[in-house]
Amino acid sequence: MFRWAIIFAVVALVAALLGLGGIAGLSADFAKILLVIGVVLFIVAFVFGRGRRTLP
């Protein structure tokens, strides 16, 4: 998820530099959405993954 978010952020920056405002805005929105989804999945995996390990 984070990899795709970074890719979309770079695409947004390049499109903004080239003057393509619509594509830049859309790519930035996708990057934000993927970043939020990635953070939520990371937190869920961290919280639910902690209780499964037990030491012998």
Side-chain angles (χ1 to χ4, degrees):
M1 285 292 176
F2 295 119
R3 180 177 172 179
W4 282 103
I6 292 171
I7 289 172
F8 276 110
V10 169
V11 169
L13 288 173
V14 170
L17 289 174
L18 294 175
L20 304 171
I23 295 173
L26 188 63
S27 296
D29 289 339
F30 280 143
K32 289 177 193 175
I33 291 169
L34 289 174
L35 183 64
V36 169
I37 291 172
V39 168
V40 168
L41 288 176
F42 176 76
I43 291 171
V44 168
F46 182 73
V47 169
F48 289 116
R50 290 184 75 181
R52 295 185 183 180
R53 290 189 181 181
T54 58
L55 296 174

